Amino acid sequence: MLAYLVIREGPNWTDVVRLVEGRTVTIGRAPTNQIVIKDERCSRYHAEVFSSDGKWTLRDLDSRNGTELGGQRIRGDHQLTPGDVFRVAHAQLAFVHDLATAFPDPASTPSRDRFVTDETAVGPRSDNGDDSDVLATYEPTMITHRRGETRFLKAEQEEDESTAPQVGRAAAKLCRLAFELAKEPDVNKVAKLALDGLFEGTQIDAGAVLLLPRGFRGNAVGSDLEVVASRTENSHSYHRLSPFLATTVLRDGEAVLARNVADDSTLGSRDSHGEIHATSVICAPIRQADRVIGIIHSYSTNEKLCPNPDDLEFTLAVADNVALAIKNLGRQQELVENLSQTQDEILQLRVQLGAESELIGSSAAMQRVKQQIVQAAPSRATVLIRGESGVGKELVARAVHFSSPRKKGPFVCLNCAALSETLLESELFGHERGAFTGATERKIGKFEAADQGTLMLDEIGEMSESIQAKFLRVLEGHPFERVGGSQAIKVDVRVIAATNRDLEKAVAEGDFRRDLYFRLNVVEILVPPLRKRADDVEVLANHFLARFNAETGKRIRGFTPTAREQLLNYRWPGNIRELKNVIERAVVLARSNQIDLDDLNLSKLATAGDTGDLGQIVDVYQPLTLAEAEKKHIERTLAANDWNKSRTAGILGIERSTLDRKIRRYHIKPDPTRSA
């Protein structure tokens, strides 16, 4: 059998709790109770209600102020019967099987053992605890259930119309008409529906809705109006209102009712042949704010149909509803147009992003990279992209994303080396308001922003150990929490990591977690430096030239032969990033229609693969024979070790006697300018 506790605090019933067998309902001041009573007289855990052998029992939990039932303080357990009302502090709780019995008839006086009133509403109880002086006032609660459409939106019966007041009938018709107007998809249908409502609610037999063209500005006159919809129920076609009347209504914005106008041509009662059309005319402006956008014109050609002031009021109300419907249609049209424009912009941005993620180059090294991208993209596996700074690791990550099933999702990038440990944690996982100084608002992290998409973490080797541990848990599919939050958040993100560091060395030195390294290194893509894909230098240079020509509006046609040769022979220590910046500078500062050698600003920095004298700069690359290269390498290694032959031989991986023979063969001698 159903059972309820109906709670009353003060003069009002505040809540209903359904009792379920097998579940104990606790009552007290602590927020962990099912029924919380905010009163200092209530103990933290005051009482409980539970079922035993199919019956409900109230138990006082040794509360400080006790639990009262029927004016008596109870101890231990008490079996409840329907209608019992017990008090905890200022609250009363009624135990009932039928909710209707919890709200007695106001004319009847409830017995003391069924309902105990709140003395704070009418006065204190007597010292002996007798409630006989306390008077109760009850108001019945009525709950009506209603399904389906409201009856005010349905056509009324004829007998109802005959007995209902005219104003009430008009209001009901306007209610239905406004509801129907709001559902119409275009202006023409709105106008036709408005005319149908006018013919039903007023005494007319002809009319039309006339509107100014969309976007019309300036002082309108009658000739600017366009007939959107018209209707007649007489033998004549619709007769347009006179320019004088139309201009007057447009200018003044006031509705007009003219009766007995058969001889007044200024109101449009006669046609060009003098034939009488109207005996009464109604003109109502269609207004939006302080601007008139159209007119509702209706008239009667039947002397038995004579519109009255109530018909004028009805027509004016219809005109206001038409204005609102047209305004909403305009907003919907703007939303559709804006949505279409936004979708086009998103499509263009996606095309642009796809173009920017396209890898330029046809060398064998780049073909291998593209093949690896094609193989890795369809899977959900984590990708580790390795390569020197400036080789285009982010472009490779974009290519993986846009070639994957996640291409419609977000692509989010974050450089782990650019932020401190605290900020990096906040950027990755987000933070709650007040989590730390300056956290004035809640912020979602990159993981949440990249949900259903791809998250690219550049310079992953710079991540601190504490962030690595939390990052590893998320990679393994565990939920995470925002900084300062307690809500578990789970996302679906594919992670692409990139680094130019030697992660194996970092693992060996204890700077990078071994388990995270193996979790990241599922699919590895090694992006070659530009010096190892010399065939792509000219292709990339022409690509950047075309791009910066378009951005600057210049018409530089290419490179001179000497400039092209220099581009091909240069070692490009900054890789593609350096090439891009060199071409951009050359385009901006070029003095002719071709980029010459003087326009190229090439550095003399050593590349990551060059061996120099302790940071000394090296010359621009020149082709050498193996013997010449070996001689130069031995010379520089000897110089770097101050001509310590044993140490030099160990670095070169040869015997000391072999080193002596090569020194004699190549006639290598110590630099007299260096100290021994």
Side-chain angles (χ1 to χ4, degrees), residues 537-586:
V537 172
E538 187 172 359
V539 177
L540 286 165
N542 290 329
H543 169 75
F544 290 129
L545 176 61
R547 175 176 173 178
F548 294 121
N549 268 339
E551 290 183 4
T552 60
K554 291 193 173 184
R555 297 182 179 180
I556 298 176
R557 292 182 293 182
F559 304 89
T560 63
T562 54
R564 183 180 292 106
E565 182 180 0
Q566 186 72 348
L567 291 174
L568 295 176
N569 292 333
Y570 184 60
R571 296 282 287 168
W572 298 110
N575 292 296
I576 299 175
R577 183 183 293 119
E578 182 185 8
L579 174 60
K580 174 186 174 183
N581 294 336
V582 166
I583 300 302
E584 183 176 12
R585 178 185 182 277

Side-chain angles (χ1 to χ4, degrees), residues 204-207 234 236-242 245 258-265 267-271 274-282 297-303 305-307:
I204 60 171
D205 58 9
N234 52 44
H236 306 288
S237 61
Y238 166 72
H239 181 60
R240 186 180 176 115
L241 76 168
S242 69
L245 180 58
R259 306 172 69 180
N260 302 318
V261 296
D263 297 326
D264 192 348
S265 60
L267 298 179
S269 59
R270 295 177 181 270
D271 63 10
E275 182 181 353
I276 296 177
H277 278 280
T279 59
S280 300
V281 177
I282 294 178
H297 173 226
S298 61
Y299 57 88
S300 171
T301 60
N302 187 345
E303 294 180 354
L305 296 176
C306 186

